[in-house]
């Protein structure tokens, strides 16, 4: 497929100037943890300094506007209500809280797929081992995608949840969550989407994506601080689901022997949290909103296309994405080279990448690969000269 060349509408000079790391390194590890822009770092440090000066609780009272910004910006990014968003410490905690709020019983079934994130899959295995939950794992098709029709066939009366990772950590194919959402909605089955690698990378419209829960993390394509994440819980379909852990934020203690759980997504939140991180994540989402997700996605896509073409032109290099639904995550290997040694060599040349390990993708990479693969993940602030340099270093290694 030839992709349309989209003129990126992002002012590269400005975004690079606001990303100090660009002067020092070539950062192709955005799927691990992206470089935060100045306004994000500034907002985090300012709040920490305020806490240092006047006290943590007092700083929280003064920062109500900045905290509220997190909900309004994320609601704008995802096209949902701000009351449907909970701040979480990580995507893993968000995903687990959502799934456990379904109050699954022995014999209930859940469905996942071969691209599932390692942490999520371990939780599924634990649910099966300790609580008797049954699960099915859909094999990916030859293009590395989940076939919606195949998923439909696997549903049974006992299916309580469909779990889908939108873009996997180990490989950059984009799953068709809209088609999966249609099936889940038609069957009345809860759909939980892991959008860790897609939020901030591709547009997500929750009026079009018919999921009930969606979780994301702050540090990756959103460019937020570490230790931050979020959960979207659709009001219409999840209001009666009670999170596995409650506290004074998620519920109120009405009388000595009674309590009421909050109605909106804040029932998934904890009272204690990294407030500076939450404010910083709000800033990061505001930054993405101001650039526009369509522009961000188009620029990432055109950079990734360029990288793939460059890699494919090199002898012995194989790109491992299988479909035409590719993202900014590009995985590859080079015949005769050890992945760890190549990554270290890149690191010595001030180029950051990461490794997709077979052990963390046992149902996916393990099917076809002899070893681990290099993951280069691009963001809109990367540029073409960085890609050229990268290709050159790989070629010479
Ligand atoms: C697809 C996917 N899901 C979930 C996670 C976990 O996110 P967190 O570390 O915020 O829990 C990651 C992190 O790499 C991921 O890539």
């Amino acid at each position: 497929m030839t992709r349309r060349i989209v003129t990126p509408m992002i002012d590269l000079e400005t975004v690079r100037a606001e990303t100090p790391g660009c002067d020092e390194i070539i950062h192709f590890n955005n799927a691990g943890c992206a470089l935060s822009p100045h306004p994000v770092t500034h907002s985090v440090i300012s709040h920490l300094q305020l806490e240092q000066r006047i006290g943590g609780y007092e700083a929280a009272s003064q920062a109500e506007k900045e905290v509220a910004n997190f909900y309004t910006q994320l609601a704008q990014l995802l096209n949902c209500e701000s009351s449907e968003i909970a701040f979480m410490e990580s995507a893993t905690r968000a995903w687990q809280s959502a799934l456990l709020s379904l109050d699954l019983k022995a014999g209930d079934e859940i469905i996942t797929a071969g691209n599932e994130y390692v942490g999520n899959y371990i939780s599924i295995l634990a649910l099966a081992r300790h609580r008797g939950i049954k699960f099915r794992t859909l094999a990916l098709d030859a293009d590395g995608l989940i076939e919606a029709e195949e998923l439909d066939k696997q549903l049974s009366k006992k299916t309580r949840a469909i779990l889908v990772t939108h873009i996997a950590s180990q490989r950059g194919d984009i799953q068709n969550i809209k088609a999966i959402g249609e099936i889940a909605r038609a069957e009345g089955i809860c759909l939980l989407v892991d959008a860790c690698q897609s939020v901030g990378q591709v547009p997500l419209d929750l009026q079009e994506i018919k999921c009930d829960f969606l979780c994301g993390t702050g540090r990756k394509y959103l460019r937020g601080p570490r230790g931050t994440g979020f959960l979207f819980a659709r009001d219409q379909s999840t209001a009666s689901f009670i999170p596995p852990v409650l506290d004074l934020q998620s519920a109120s203690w009405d009388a000595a022997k009674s309590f009421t759980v909050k109605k909106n997504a804040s029932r998934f939140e904890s009272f204690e949290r990294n407030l500076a991180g939450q404010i910083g994540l709000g800033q990061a989402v505001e930054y993405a909103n101001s650039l526009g997700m369509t522009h961000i996605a188009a620029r990432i896509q055109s950079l990734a296309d360029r990288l793939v073409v460059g890699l494919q032109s090199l002898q012995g290099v194989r790109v491992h994405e299988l479909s035409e639904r590719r993202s900014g995550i590009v995985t590859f290997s080079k015949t005769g080279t050890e992945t760890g040694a190549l990554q270290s060599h890149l690191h010595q040349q001030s180029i950051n990448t990461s490794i997709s390990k077979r052990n963390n993708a046992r149902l996916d990479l393990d099917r076809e690969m002899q070893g681990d693969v290099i993951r280069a993940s691009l963001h809109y602030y990367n540029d073409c000269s960085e890609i050229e340099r990268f290709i050159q270093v790989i070629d010479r290694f």
Side-chain angles (χ1 to χ4, degrees):
M1 195 180 79
T2 38
R3 286 208 172 85
R4 198 163 53 90
I5 304 293
V6 185
T7 319
M9 303 288 286
I10 289 174
D11 176 356
L12 191 58
E13 215 176 302
T14 305
V15 293
R16 284 181 72 82
E18 287 178 340
T19 308
C22 288
D23 294 337
E24 286 177 46
I25 45 161
I26 296 180
H27 192 66
F28 286 180
N29 190 13
N30 294 287
C33 184
L35 303 177
S36 290
H38 268 316
V40 172
T41 312
H42 175 73
S43 68
V44 173
I45 293 173
S46 299
H47 189 75
L48 291 176
Q49 285 171 337
L50 188 65
E51 286 185 341
Q52 186 185 43
R53 269 200 299 115
I54 68 169
Y57 283 22
E58 294 72 14
S61 306
Q62 273 194 30
E64 276 174 15
K65 212 170 81 217
E66 287 79 1
V67 173
N69 188 49
F70 161 80
Y71 299 97
T72 39
Q73 293 295 334
L74 201 48
Q76 184 186 325
L77 187 86
L78 301 175
N79 193 16
C80 66
E81 297 297 325
S82 46
S83 60
E84 293 176 308
I85 287 169
F87 174 74
M88 308 293 287
E89 75 208 63
S90 72
T92 302
R93 287 286 172 267
W95 188 93
Q96 288 170 339
S97 301
L99 185 58
L100 294 177
S101 75
L102 278 120
D103 195 22
L104 300 170
K105 301 279 189 295
D108 284 346
E109 280 180 11
I110 50 184
I111 296 202
T112 181
N115 72 333
E116 187 59 275
Y117 177 65
V118 48
N120 299 347
Y121 209 79
I122 290 171
S123 303
I124 294 169
L125 292 173
L127 281 175
R129 183 188 289 176
H130 300 295
R131 299 209 199 168
I133 308 302
K134 303 253 186 300
F135 70 96
R136 295 171 196 226
T137 307
L138 279 178
L140 303 174
D141 69 11
D143 288 340
L145 299 176
I146 301 167
E147 274 181 80
E149 277 173 23
E150 194 46 41
L151 172 77
D152 204 9
K153 282 192 217 147
Q154 297 291 328
L155 303 177
S156 80
K157 288 211 167 68
K158 293 192 173 161
T159 312
R160 297 281 318 281
I162 299 169
L163 314 171
V164 176
T165 296
H166 192 190
I167 302 177
S169 178
Q170 66 271 11
R171 210 200 286 255
D173 301 293
I174 307 178
Q175 302 298 331
N176 187 350
I177 47 171
K178 277 191 201 158
I180 295 169
E182 295 297 339
I183 294 171
R185 180 68 64 85
E187 299 292 334
I189 295 171
C190 178
L191 173 61
L192 166 53
V193 173
D194 177 336
C196 259
Q197 297 292 0
S198 56
V199 66
Q201 174 170 196
V202 295
L204 294 172
D205 182 337
L206 288 170
Q207 302 315 308
E208 286 182 5
I209 302 164
K210 308 266 185 322
C211 61
D212 303 286
F213 290 112
L214 180 137
C215 68
T217 200
R219 72 183 182 279
K220 299 181 187 288
Y221 279 90
L222 283 176
R223 310 183 65 194
R226 296 202 65 173
T228 63
F230 70 89
L231 176 67
F232 157 79
R234 196 178 293 282
D235 266 348
Q236 222 179 357
S237 53
T238 71
S240 61
F241 299 171
I242 309 295
V245 177
L246 294 173
D247 73 359
L248 66 167
Q249 163 72 19
S250 46
S252 58
W253 194 14
D254 304 332
K257 288 192 175 173
S258 75
F259 66 95
T260 307
V261 180
K262 282 214 180 121
K263 289 271 177 277
N264 55 29
S266 68
R267 71 191 183 282
F268 286 94
E269 294 184 335
S270 304
F271 169 78
E272 180 52 3
R273 69 183 72 178
N274 174 1
L275 215 70
Q278 183 175 9
I279 291 167
L281 182 52
Q283 271 296 320
V285 180
E286 186 172 338
Y287 199 83
N289 280 334
S290 71
L291 295 174
M293 276 315 304
T294 323
H295 296 149
I296 289 176
R299 179 159 170 85
I300 294 175
Q301 193 64 71
S302 67
L303 289 172
D305 284 350
R306 208 174 170 118
L307 176 61
V308 169
V309 170
L311 286 171
Q312 281 171 337
S313 72
L314 302 181
Q315 196 143 30
V317 172
R318 185 176 149 211
V319 173
H320 295 291
E321 276 58 46
L322 296 169
S323 71
E324 293 294 344
R325 294 173 59 89
R326 281 202 231 104
S327 65
I329 299 178
V330 178
T331 52
F332 66 94
S333 48
K334 186 173 177 186
T335 315
T337 52
E338 203 269 311
T339 305
L342 178 53
Q343 192 210 18
S344 306
H345 179 69
L346 286 163
H347 191 64
Q348 280 159 16
Q349 312 288 315
S350 304
I351 302 175
N352 294 342
T353 56
S354 63
I355 295 181
S356 289
K357 293 199 166 75
R358 267 168 84 210
N359 291 358
N360 287 341
R362 292 188 175 279
L363 309 172
D364 188 356
L365 297 186
D366 208 19
R367 288 193 306 177
E368 60 185 69
M369 240 80 90
Q370 297 295 315
D372 302 335
V373 299
I374 296 268
R375 180 180 72 178
S377 45
L378 310 181
H379 218 320
Y380 58 80
Y381 57 76
N382 292 128
D383 69 15
C384 297
S385 68
E386 292 179 327
I387 293 176
E388 268 147 40
R389 165 121 181 83
F390 184 75
I391 302 284
Q392 208 177 51
V393 174
I394 303 287
D395 192 27
R396 289 184 184 158
F397 184 70

